Amino acid sequence: MEQLLITGVPEHFNYPWKKLIVEQPFLKKYDVQLIWEDEPKGSGAMNRSLREGNTDLAIVLTESFIADRIAGNPARALGFYVESPLTWGVHTNPQFAAKSIADLKESQFLISRFGSGSHLMAFLLAEREGFGSSTLQFEVIGDLQGALRSAKSNTPKLFLWEKFTTSPYVQQGKFARIGEIPTPWPCFVCVARPEVVHTHRALLVELQALLWQEIEEMHQDRALHKKIAAMYQLDPEETLSWLSNTTWATNAYMGASSFTTTMEFLLRAGIITHSESVEHFVYPEFVRIV
């Protein structure tokens, strides 16, 4: 039996994938087992896994994927996964809760790794707040648990992470949230290695259609917010609020403006040195650019 490895962050956005993988739709037809692997270190780590052939598909933050694709990652997008923006919470150590973002502009940013969303969003925050991105300092902490350990220090830190994921830690007083910043682009793309697309094209077409169907059907479940909250240890009411503002992709269309907006930001931040055509990022047999 062959396995198809799919990687994503251990967060509530990936609930549809978890549901689909329980069903194992390709065992009989293709003798292929779908395997899900959590990657708590985020998009930077998943980009590396795609480059090194250690995963087949990954659910990657849009800005991180675009930057890494321009830097030479051979993987391309099968389509958007989540079309709505990601709202990042701006966090600091609990003892600095009364401080503003401006007060902490010289603090180190805690990032999962270079090239991750937490790294790239620091530049967007600096741009919004009007302090120079060239002076930003970073501490690599690996994952959310690393951030929690670093936040115990007496030195003020800034940490950007999806706000609902960190909400339990804010409520427990382990982080202080002092602001928010949404992405001006759809937040997640589904990315696949070219070898997998070449070998399993028909399976991936079916997989994409089944995922869209799963997303459509789950919205009919009135207890959906409770199920997601239980799986990811979130507050049910907060989960309901998150669901009302989240849109998963259910078709093959990707807006060209989402790519150009992201590349314009990455150029301003000095993360990339040049832009590429939108077609550079997608598998044309899976995606319709609009």
Side-chain angles (χ1 to χ4, degrees):
M1 180 187 300
E2 193 173 352
Q3 294 183 336
L4 188 74
L5 182 60
I6 306 164
T7 308
V9 290
E11 295 175 10
H12 41 290
F13 288 96
N14 287 320
Y15 180 82
W17 276 109
K18 295 289 186 76
K19 282 270 292 173
L20 182 61
I21 286 171
V22 167
E23 297 166 9
Q24 288 298 329
F26 301 122
L27 284 178
K28 290 184 179 179
K29 184 172 183 179
Y30 294 105
D31 197 30
V32 172
Q33 181 182 22
L34 302 180
I35 302 292
W36 177 268
E37 183 172 84
D38 283 331
E39 179 46 86
K41 294 181 179 179
S43 290
M46 286 186 281
N47 283 324
R48 181 174 179 177
S49 290
L50 287 163
R51 282 175 175 263
E52 296 178 350
N54 294 325
T55 193
D56 298 315
L57 276 72
I59 313 305
V60 184
L61 288 170
T62 300
E63 63 273 25
S64 184
F65 160 67
I66 288 177
D68 206 59
R69 172 69 179 148
I70 289 175
N73 192 334
R76 298 190 187 202
L78 298 173
F80 284 128
Y81 172 58
V82 179
E83 294 181 330
S84 47
L86 185 71
T87 301
W88 295 77
V90 183
H91 307 86
T92 189
N93 325 43
Q95 64 267 42
F96 300 105
K99 299 287 187 180
S100 67
I101 296 171
D103 292 333
L104 300 174
K105 67 180 182 180
E106 295 181 1
S107 303
Q108 281 188 317
F109 280 85
L110 305 179
I111 62 173
S112 55
R113 66 184 298 142
F114 288 99
S116 66
S118 54
H119 173 222
L120 302 182
M121 287 300 294
F123 291 92
L124 191 66
L125 181 68
E127 182 178 83
R128 188 190 75 176
E129 297 295 315
F131 49 85
S133 59
S134 62
T135 60
L136 298 184
Q137 302 176 64
F138 301 101
E139 177 187 338
V140 178
I141 44 80
D143 55 18
L144 185 52
Q145 295 304 312
L148 287 165
R149 289 190 292 271
S150 186
K152 293 177 181 179
S153 73
N154 292 321
T155 304
K157 313 281 186 179
L158 282 171
F159 177 57
L160 292 162
W161 208 264
E162 197 275 331
K163 62 175 274 188
F164 290 100
T165 303
T166 59
S167 204
Y169 303 108
V170 172
Q171 294 168 4
Q172 295 164 19
K174 295 179 179 179
F175 286 131
R177 185 181 298 140
I178 58 173
E180 297 179 2
I181 182 167
T183 59
W185 46 70
C187 57
F188 285 107
V189 288
C190 182
V191 183
R193 292 191 297 113
E195 298 86 352
V196 177
V197 173
H198 177 75
T199 305
H200 292 298
R201 190 181 310 273
L203 182 152
L204 292 176
V205 169
E206 291 185 40
L207 177 61
Q208 196 171 48
L210 287 171
L211 180 65
W212 294 339
Q213 181 181 330
E214 189 73 57
I215 289 165
E216 295 277 14
E217 291 177 354
M218 77 179 190
H219 284 299
Q220 309 306 314
D221 186 351
R222 294 185 178 181
L224 178 64
H225 66 293
K226 295 179 181 178
K227 293 177 181 178
I228 294 177
M231 180 176 286
Y232 293 97
Q233 292 80 56
L234 302 174
D235 177 83
E237 292 306 310
E238 283 199 350
T239 305
L240 187 61
S241 173
W242 165 74
L243 277 171
S244 69
N245 292 292
T246 300
T247 304
W248 284 275
T250 54
N251 57 57
Y253 294 103
M254 300 183 82
S257 61
S258 298
F259 289 91
T260 55
T261 298
T262 308
M263 283 188 283
E264 286 167 2
F265 153 66
L266 294 170
L267 283 166
R268 290 196 306 272
I271 303 297
I272 60 175
T273 58
H274 65 281
S275 59
E276 294 281 357
S277 68
V278 174
E279 289 73 17
H280 179 73
F281 300 96
V282 304
Y283 292 107
E285 61 269 47
F286 285 86
V287 173
R288 301 290 178 267
I289 300 295
V290 294

